[in-house]
Amino acid sequence: MLRQSHLLGIEPLAPAEIGALLDLADRYADLNRSGRGHLDVLTGLTQINMFFENSTRTQASFELAGKRLGADVMSMAMAQSSVKKGETLIDTALTLNAMRPDLLVVRHGQSGAVDLLAQKVTDCAVLNAGDGRHEHPTQALLDALTIRRRKGRLHRLSVAICGDIAHSRVARSNILLLGKMENRVRLVGPPTLIPAGAGDLGVEVYHDMREGLRDVDVVMMLRLQKERMDGGFIPSEREYYHRYGLDAEKLACARDDAIVMHPGPMNRGVEIDGTLADDIHRSVIGTQVEMGVAVRMAAMDLLARNLRAARGARVVEV
Ligand code: NCD
């Protein structure tokens, strides 16, 4: 059902592959809710999580997904690793090859680093858990599943992605996925936080938030990526909240049944009003976290099938 042996981004995926992955994730979500989420789909396989950049929810989500499917899961503390001692990514790959993991989940601060690692590791499926400003495919897939479950469809919807688009891999993967599934995407934010040439991505660009939110079905907020800014992108957080922070008054411009999303971690009072984020009638932020586990179970299941098929084609005698 997936043509690739790795999940590096949304870009190479066909709409049918996205649909199939979401269908499987949908079943895993129901199974998780029923409390029967412990399966042996990945039994006998080793999953290594390598997070070169800090993460709480994504790492926990991948760990939980692997464990629910019976994999042996190991998370390497990359902050204290030999990378800090100067080891290159290529040497890390060679070390990994000697350890023979089956599934490798990687987050890295540099765009393209996960693709590079995927080229260097052998006989192992690589999943991109976020690389620089490039892609974060499982985030876009979990957002898509959340939208599909709440809206009953994933096409012909109007989606506003708001805030720090320029530094966001979440925005990039979502623009690609929502576009492939034939939705209308609007980017809303100050000119300093929307990349030049964004209009070429097949999206509409708005600098006025009320205009940008008019009649949309989905409002997707993004965190200000302060760690990727070298100053001067916004006048002050207070001013930013005034113009681009989502509150009940700005949300009133969207459709009455519009849902509010945020990938987390969120800065309450900077990009979103805390009360609105907690409003279970509008906010689906909790569902996004729940769908994250299901989507990662589906992605690892499908990649493991490809891995086993490729291995099955080789004769192994011990
Ligand atoms: C996102 C990320 O790391 O790109 N978070 C996440 O995966 N839950 C978004 C962010 O950090 O703002």
Side-chain angles (χ1 to χ4, degrees):
M1 277 198 287
L2 269 187
R3 288 170 306 167
Q4 290 81 11
S5 44
H6 306 295
L7 179 62
L8 300 176
I10 297 296
E11 196 152 28
L13 297 181
E17 290 177 292
I18 294 171
L21 197 149
L22 295 181
D23 289 345
L24 182 60
D26 210 27
R27 296 201 289 280
Y28 277 131
D30 290 339
L31 212 62
N32 289 342
R33 277 197 183 170
S34 73
R36 288 179 286 119
H38 283 271
L39 302 165
D40 56 7
V41 171
L42 300 181
T43 302
L45 299 183
T46 303
Q47 171 191 337
I48 298 187
N49 299 330
M50 297 180 88
F51 281 65
F52 293 89
E53 225 187 44
N54 290 339
S55 161
T56 316
R57 81 191 61 214
T58 306
Q59 186 170 336
S61 181
F62 268 110
E63 264 188 55
L64 205 53
K67 286 183 175 163
R68 289 215 172 132
L69 294 180
D72 291 317
V73 186
M74 198 189 108
S75 290
M76 288 170 74
M78 299 316 290
Q80 297 117 45
S81 77
S82 22
V83 177
K84 290 278 179 295
K85 298 178 188 164
E87 183 174 276
T88 66
L89 205 55
I90 305 300
D91 285 329
T92 306
L94 294 177
T95 308
L96 280 167
N97 282 340
M99 291 181 182
R100 305 210 149 274
D102 304 289
L103 295 156
L104 189 62
V105 180
V106 189
R107 168 169 287 192
H108 201 286
Q110 299 292 322
S111 306
V114 184
D115 290 49
L116 180 69
L117 206 57
Q119 286 165 31
K120 302 292 173 193
V121 293
T122 45
D123 200 25
C124 168
V126 177
L127 291 100
N128 181 1
D131 66 320
R133 307 173 186 194
H134 178 228
E135 282 234 38
H136 190 354
T138 56
Q139 179 69 45
L141 288 161
L142 75 87
D143 290 338
L145 184 59
T146 305
I147 295 172
R148 205 175 79 165
R149 280 172 81 107
R150 266 306 265 263
K151 292 277 153 208
R153 66 180 203 274
L154 187 63
H155 59 272
R156 281 188 283 112
L157 290 168
S158 188
V159 182
I161 305 179
C162 311
D164 186 358
I165 317 283
H167 301 98
S168 177
R169 54 196 174 211
V170 175
R172 216 181 110 74
S173 290
N174 264 300
I175 293 167
L176 291 167
L177 190 152
L178 292 166
K180 280 177 196 269
M181 304 313 269
E182 295 181 13
N183 298 282
R184 289 179 56 187
V185 178
R186 300 177 180 185
L187 303 183
V188 182
T192 47
L193 293 179
I194 297 199
D200 304 339
L201 298 168
V203 297
E204 292 168 44
V205 175
Y206 292 85
H207 300 306
D208 180 279
M209 192 153 181
R210 288 176 185 80
E211 262 175 49
L213 295 193
R214 184 128 6 251
D215 295 328
V216 299
D217 300 286
V218 178
V219 182
M220 192 179 282
M221 299 307 299
L222 298 172
R223 184 175 66 85
L224 274 182
Q225 309 270 305
K226 287 182 241 171
E227 72 277 21
R228 293 190 219 288
M229 295 182 188
D230 38 23
F233 284 91
I234 56 163
S236 71
E237 288 186 355
R238 207 182 138 95
E239 171 71 7
Y240 181 79
Y241 182 67
H242 176 65
R243 296 193 56 189
Y244 295 104
L246 186 67
D247 55 15
E249 190 251 306
K250 294 193 193 84
L251 182 62
C253 298
R255 285 175 57 106
D256 290 342
D257 60 354
I259 55 171
V260 174
M261 309 180 77
H262 194 303
M266 60 186 152
N267 297 308
R268 290 169 186 260
V270 178
E271 65 253 355
I272 189 164
D273 168 56
T275 315
L276 185 56
D278 297 332
D279 178 356
I280 53 162
H281 301 294
R282 307 307 296 270
S283 161
V284 295
I285 297 171
T287 311
Q288 287 175 271
V289 179
E290 184 187 354
M291 293 308 125
V293 178
V295 152
R296 288 163 182 134
M297 288 167 82
M300 290 197 287
D301 176 351
L302 293 178
L303 290 176
R305 291 184 204 186
N306 291 351
L307 193 67
R308 286 189 164 122
R311 286 176 182 171
R314 289 194 298 271
V315 181
V316 183
E317 270 184 44
V318 182

